[in-house]
Structure formats: C-alpha cells, structure tokens
Amino acid sequence: MFDEKYQYTCVDKFLKYVKVDTQSDEESTSFPSTEKQKNLSKALAEELKQMGLNDAHMDEWGYVMATLPSNTNKNVDTIAFIAHVDTSPAVTGKDVNPVINKNYQGGDIKLKNGGWIIKVSDNPELKDMIGYDIITTDGTTLLGADNKAGVAEIMDAVNYWLKHPEVKHGTIKICFTPDEEVGRGTEKIDLKKLSAKYAYTVDGSAKGEIETETFSADMMVIKFIGKNIHPGYAKGQMMNSIKIASSFIDSLPKDKLSPETTEKREGYVHCTSINGNEELSTLKFIIRSFETADLKKFEDILKDLANKAVAKFPGSKVEVEVIEQYRNMKEVLDRHPQVEANAIEALKRLNIKPIMHPIRGGTDGSRLSFMGLPTPNIFAGEHSFHSQLEWVAVQDMHDAVKFIIEIAKVWEELA
Ligand SMILES: [Zn+2]
C-alpha cells in the first residue's frame, strides 16, 4: 500500500529545476546542443549521489545515469525511468518565475504578463481540476514542465523508495538526457552502460496517459536543378529552379496528405523549408504515417510529382534523397507486451483510467525502442508545452510519482 502520509518532494524539486535555463538549440551542431543543459544535469547527478545512489554521475555528453539497487530476491528485469532536462527552443526558458494557483476554482487562468490566458476551451482537462493547485508561468517564459515535471517525479520516486525499503523492486535505472526537444536526445546515449531491459520515458501529458504508438518518420530532400544565365540575355535559355519548385509545390495534394487536412491515424507529407536561387532549389519534407509501409508510398507520390514538374522545364533535373528518422515504437513494443501491460496494471491499482492514443509525432522512446530498449511514454502531467501557456497540476505530479513507484512494484510482483 502507498504511504498516504508521504511528504512529496517533487514540487519543491520542480520549482528548483525550472530556475535553471536548459534551452536546447536546433542550429547547434555540438553535443549537447547547449552547454548550459549540463548545469542542471550536473546538479541532478550530485543530488542523486547525496540521496545515496553511489554510482550517480553525468558523462561527457551530459547524460545522467544512476542505479537504485534491487531489494528483492526475485530475478526482476531491470527497468529504467527516463526524462529529458532540456526545454524547447520555441520560447525562452531563462528566468522562469512559476506561479502556483492554489485551490483552482474553474474558469480561464489569466497570466500576470503579456495578456496570456490559459483557456478552458483549449484545455478541457482543467474541468477535472477543481480544487487542484495549478502551476503556470508568469507569462514571460515557458514553464519547463516539459520535461522537468518528469525529472522531478522520478527524483521523488527515488526518494520514496529510499524511505520505504519495504517496497520491493528490481534494479531500477535512472536516466536524464539532453537535447530531446531538438530530436537528438538519444544520439550519444550509452545503452550498454545503462543496461536496462525496458524503460519508460516520463514525458506524457494528461493523467493516465500511456503512449505506445508514434509515427514512423522519414525526411526527404528534393533538389531542383535549373539553368542560370544573365537575365538580360536569358531568352529561351534560363530555367529558374525556383519556378520549377513552385510548380511542384502547387501540384501537391491539397485536400489530403497534409498536416492541415489530416488527423487521428492519417499520415501526411509536409514541406518544412525551401532554399533556392535560379540554379538550385532545395526543399525539405517530413513524411509521417503510423504504417511504416505508407512512407514509401507517400515518397513515391512526391517523386512522381517532382518528375512531372521537371518535365515541364526540359533540361532541368531533380534529385531526391530519403533519410530515415524514426519508426513507430509499436512494432517493437508488440513483441514485449508486458511493458505496456505492467503499466496498465499499475494504473488499475491506482484507480486511474488509462488513456491510450497514438502520438502524432515521435519521442525519444521511438528511437530507443529500435535501439533495443523498448520504451513507451507515460504521463508526467505536462500541458500546453513549448509555450507561455504551459501548466502542470501539483496533484497530477503526485499521481505520476505514485505511478512510477507502482510500475516498479508490478514488475517485481509479476516476476
Ligand atoms: Zn518533452
């Protein structure tokens, strides 16, 4: 049974962690993308050590790892709990001043600065939060609940386990990663060193969420090569690659296959950038579907349209390159059904209704799953992330801590 008198530490920790600016940078080519992320990672490694996890450390890349030794005679698979320390490049994470709205009584929440309003119409979850304490920003920064709520919850679970040695669990690995927000969170991770068999990223939203399905994703680079010549003498000779690219863009399907016309389980192709001059135009596309086999079909559609575009400009050329990004983690998780089943069992024991829906995006868990560490994503209570409107409820954070503890308990009991 959970010790209902337990004094949670996650909120205090959270309020401390959000004060450290850990914004990652999409443009950077170094790793981690920003050195400042290590300021928090170093502090977390030190904190884990102080708590008694002797092997806690941060490696040269900024990954924090630590082990909570097993306290059972049973042979339990090692599981890891993972969260990321960086915050989104979209909005500044410097000088975050969290505001705790105690005992929320319903209605929209107006932030102190900038005229920002957290609207119930955009956040229907708020309807279930009467009496809760809602942590928001002051309107000048993001909050960083994504994913410092997850970090704080994992740290609190460790604190609970250390205070309650009678709660049995197998070996538990803790891992905090940099650069998730720029899609590079698993780039330098040493899974051998982590040596976990299964893992959970604690980076989901609403209470009850277990995410076991993500998009499969490719990137496609399309280059249109035209022919440049002085525009004053170009008659009958110039082939402006910008015009070829425009013609191609205009031929893309409009009522389907694009982000603004698809939802739920529908995939899409999406142009994310164009760079060009008369000679060369380079277009980047992201290709997304829950069915990996669809990616090839969508890519063939784009290739076909690109060929049709160059056919209108004889002598011009097109070059296409496909780069694999990540794959739907479900393909891996289906082969290890106990990872999802144990999480659902833990929710059931806590009387929390499971919420399962596919993520129209990717997570570090999608990459980790294909690197050999099956890793679904579980809720941390984060809402409206990557913006000034970000918020998290204290009571959801407490439930997330309980959930983490309960998952480990289920693994031990069913071993
Ligand atoms: Zn996140």
Side-chain angles (χ1 to χ4, degrees):
M1 268 290 97
F2 190 82
D3 169 13
E4 295 297 340
K5 289 205 188 87
Y6 174 67
Q7 293 286 323
Y8 289 98
T9 60
C10 54
V11 174
D12 288 345
K13 290 182 192 298
F14 174 67
L15 296 175
K16 201 168 68 188
Y17 303 156
V18 298
K19 290 279 178 196
V20 186
D21 178 10
T22 54
Q23 190 176 35
S24 48
D25 177 5
E26 241 147 3
E27 303 303 319
S28 163
T29 52
S30 58
F31 199 95
S33 67
T34 52
E35 271 303 297
K36 60 188 175 187
Q37 295 178 58
K38 286 185 177 172
N39 295 339
L40 179 57
S41 300
K42 233 179 279 165
L44 289 168
E46 190 49 40
E47 193 178 337
L48 284 163
K49 217 171 189 159
Q50 296 282 327
M51 290 164 89
L53 304 196
N54 297 323
D55 69 340
H57 68 287
M58 180 188 80
D59 70 13
E60 59 177 314
W61 305 112
Y63 290 89
V64 177
M65 289 186 191
T67 311
L68 180 72
S70 166
N71 63 1
T72 173
N73 312 327
K74 285 190 180 173
N75 191 5
V76 187
D77 288 325
T78 298
I79 56 170
F81 291 98
I82 301 173
H84 64 90
V85 298
D86 66 314
T87 61
S88 167
V91 177
T92 177
K94 192 170 180 289
D95 300 323
V96 174
N97 278 308
V99 176
I100 306 180
N101 303 266
K102 285 214 161 138
N103 193 12
Y104 170 69
Q105 288 302 304
D108 297 346
I109 302 173
K110 192 171 184 300
L111 303 183
K112 273 191 194 164
N113 303 296
W116 296 96
I117 297 171
I118 301 175
K119 293 193 175 135
V120 179
S121 53
D122 298 331
N123 298 269
E125 303 90 353
L126 279 171
K127 287 183 194 145
D128 301 325
M129 302 211 170
I130 308 299
Y132 278 29
D133 307 319
I134 313 277
I135 307 176
T136 68
T137 74
D138 66 359
T140 60
T141 63
L142 50 62
L143 180 60
D146 175 12
N147 184 213
K148 288 166 184 168
V151 173
E153 289 153 7
I154 293 170
M155 292 296 275
D156 200 3
V158 172
N159 184 59
Y160 184 91
W161 280 314
L162 292 169
K163 290 216 151 55
H164 289 277
E166 78 283 2
V167 177
K168 297 292 172 215
H169 55 78
T171 304
I172 291 169
K173 297 282 180 169
I174 307 301
C175 178
F176 299 129
T177 65
D179 279 342
E180 191 268 355
E181 297 292 359
V182 292
R184 297 171 64 200
T186 60
E187 204 172 289
K188 303 276 186 190
I189 194 167
D190 186 345
L191 287 187
K192 240 195 188 133
K193 190 167 80 179
L194 185 65
S195 71
K197 195 148 182 210
Y198 306 108
Y200 299 88
T201 49
V202 187
D203 193 18
S205 188
K207 181 162 83 184
E209 257 179 29
I210 303 173
E211 296 172 317
T212 56
E213 197 170 1
T214 57
F215 269 148
S216 282
D218 280 349
M219 184 164 101
M220 202 167 169
V221 181
I222 303 178
K223 289 182 178 165
F224 290 104
I225 300 144
K227 189 177 160 201
N228 195 16
I229 198 146
H230 188 289
Y233 308 92
K235 185 167 183 188
Q237 296 194 60
M238 184 194 274
M239 263 175 296
N240 189 341
S241 82
I242 298 172
K243 290 188 176 166
I244 309 169
S246 307
S247 153
F248 165 70
I249 287 286
D250 194 47
S251 72
L252 293 177
K254 292 181 181 63
D255 50 351
K256 53 177 185 178
L257 269 192
S258 67
E260 62 272 32
T261 56
T262 50
E263 59 175 355
K264 294 179 181 150
R265 297 197 62 87
E266 301 165 314
Y268 59 76
V269 302
H270 172 51
C271 185
T272 58
S273 75
I274 300 191
N275 268 299
N277 55 28
E278 296 92 334
E279 187 74 32
L280 172 70
S281 290
T282 305
L283 286 66
K284 284 187 182 161
F285 275 80
I286 58 171
I287 319 291
R288 299 289 185 262
S289 176
F290 290 106
E291 305 300 328
T292 303
D294 279 351
L295 298 181
K296 170 98 176 43
K297 286 185 209 156
F298 295 175
E299 286 150 14
D300 285 345
I301 293 174
L302 288 185
K303 278 182 202 165
D304 185 48
L305 292 172
N307 284 327
K308 281 186 176 141
V310 292
K312 286 190 253 169
F313 299 81
S316 67
K317 277 195 310 194
V318 61
E319 288 172 6
V320 173
E321 188 191 358
V322 174
I323 300 153
E324 180 176 320
Q325 290 186 308
Y326 55 85
R327 291 293 177 255
N328 186 345
M329 60 161 84
K330 192 169 191 297
E331 291 169 24
V332 175
L333 291 174
D334 278 350
R335 300 200 293 270
H336 305 276
Q338 67 276 36
V339 184
E340 177 183 335
N342 287 0
I344 290 177
E345 172 64 21
L347 279 184
K348 206 190 274 170
R349 293 179 182 192
L350 296 173
N351 248 322
I352 300 172
K353 200 172 130 234
I355 303 173
M356 315 267 308
H357 51 70
I359 313 174
R360 288 178 64 80
T363 65
D364 273 353
S366 351
R367 288 194 179 83
L368 290 171
S369 295
F370 284 88
M371 288 163 77
L373 182 65
T375 308
N377 188 36
I378 60 174
F379 78 91
E382 318 156 359
H383 292 277
S384 303
F385 26 81
H386 305 180
S387 80
Q388 286 86 345
L389 297 171
E390 204 183 353
W391 59 276
V392 61
V394 168
Q395 286 77 0
D396 278 2
M397 290 182 72
H398 294 173
D399 280 334
V401 175
K402 271 190 185 174
F403 184 34
I404 292 166
I405 295 162
E406 199 64 38
I407 288 176
K409 224 167 118 191
V410 171
W411 276 97
E412 198 274 341
E413 283 180 33
L414 300 183

